[in-house]
Amino acid sequence: IMLYSAVFNHAGWISAYSLDTDVTASEARAAYLSSIFFFGITLGRLLSVPTAMFVTPTKMMCFLIALVWVGVALFTTVTLFQAQATYTGLVVSCAILGLGISSIYPVGLTIAQDYGVVMDSRTISICCIGAVAGEAVVPACFGLLMNTFTPVCLLISLCVSLSISLCLSVYLSLISSLP
């Protein structure tokens, strides 16, 4: 849920980031970055249906998280290690992040069920409320940080959320393997 909220935070603020860092002066081109992200989500969800018939949920989750890491690494490279971020680099990183995040939520629910969590209406409601709360709170808090500090907060929030999600995944894997 945390990773899901963090990447959607990216989609909501990438337009402001590209305008604030002078990657583009056009508001239309800045808004196009969010559209590319949501196109990646749509394409990823279309591809995940036939893929789910041949790939286990755990392998699919590993692949999706790896895609998110690639998107974050590209975004990092484009924003930090170049004199000026390129618009094309942001477009590609938004598309990869969209592909990576596309099916993480439903695959996560499936994996939870595989680990013995009873997915009844109460459990699913808690997950949905957590996701909605995260999607409301994270962007609001991030907006305050971006106004107070610099647009680089977008990159920092992605890396921190992705790292925490990775640590939680490793922890849950270790716990589930104990007798």
Side-chain angles (χ1 to χ4, degrees):
I1 291 173
M2 183 173 196
L3 178 62
Y4 195 73
S5 298
V7 176
F8 269 95
N9 178 50
H10 176 79
W13 287 100
I14 190 65
S15 300
Y17 173 85
S18 66
L19 290 169
D20 288 350
T21 57
D22 297 324
V23 172
T24 183
S26 165
E27 289 183 10
R29 285 176 54 111
Y32 184 66
L33 292 170
S34 289
S35 298
I36 288 292
F37 173 80
F38 286 106
F39 172 76
I41 287 177
T42 303
L43 181 63
R45 288 181 178 170
L46 285 171
L47 294 173
S48 70
V49 173
T51 304
M53 296 178 355
F54 303 105
V55 179
T56 66
T58 303
K59 287 182 182 178
M60 190 173 217
M61 181 64 85
C62 290
F63 177 73
L64 292 171
I65 290 174
L67 267 179
V68 171
W69 272 107
V70 168
V72 170
L74 180 61
F75 183 72
T76 303
T77 303
V78 166
T79 57
L80 292 182
F81 301 119
Q82 293 184 354
Q84 169 123 14
T86 63
Y87 184 76
T88 305
L90 290 181
V91 167
V92 173
S93 70
C94 284
I96 292 172
L97 280 169
L99 276 170
I101 200 69
S102 62
S103 299
I104 280 184
Y105 193 76
V107 171
L109 292 177
T110 303
I111 288 174
Q113 194 171 17
D114 290 347
Y115 283 117
V117 176
V118 178
M119 298 306 286
D120 58 3
S121 59
R122 183 175 185 271
T123 305
I124 292 174
S125 295
I126 290 169
C127 290
C128 290
I129 290 169
V132 170
E135 286 183 41
V137 172
V138 171
C141 293
F142 176 75
L144 295 171
L145 286 174
M146 194 164 164
N147 282 337
T148 305
F149 299 107
T150 68
V152 176
C153 290
L154 184 60
L155 173 63
I156 294 168
S157 72
L158 274 174
C159 290
V160 167
S161 296
L162 196 55
S163 298
I164 291 171
S165 297
L166 181 65
C167 290
L168 287 173
S169 297
V170 169
Y171 175 72
L172 290 174
S173 295
L174 292 173
I175 285 180
S176 67
S177 64
L178 293 175

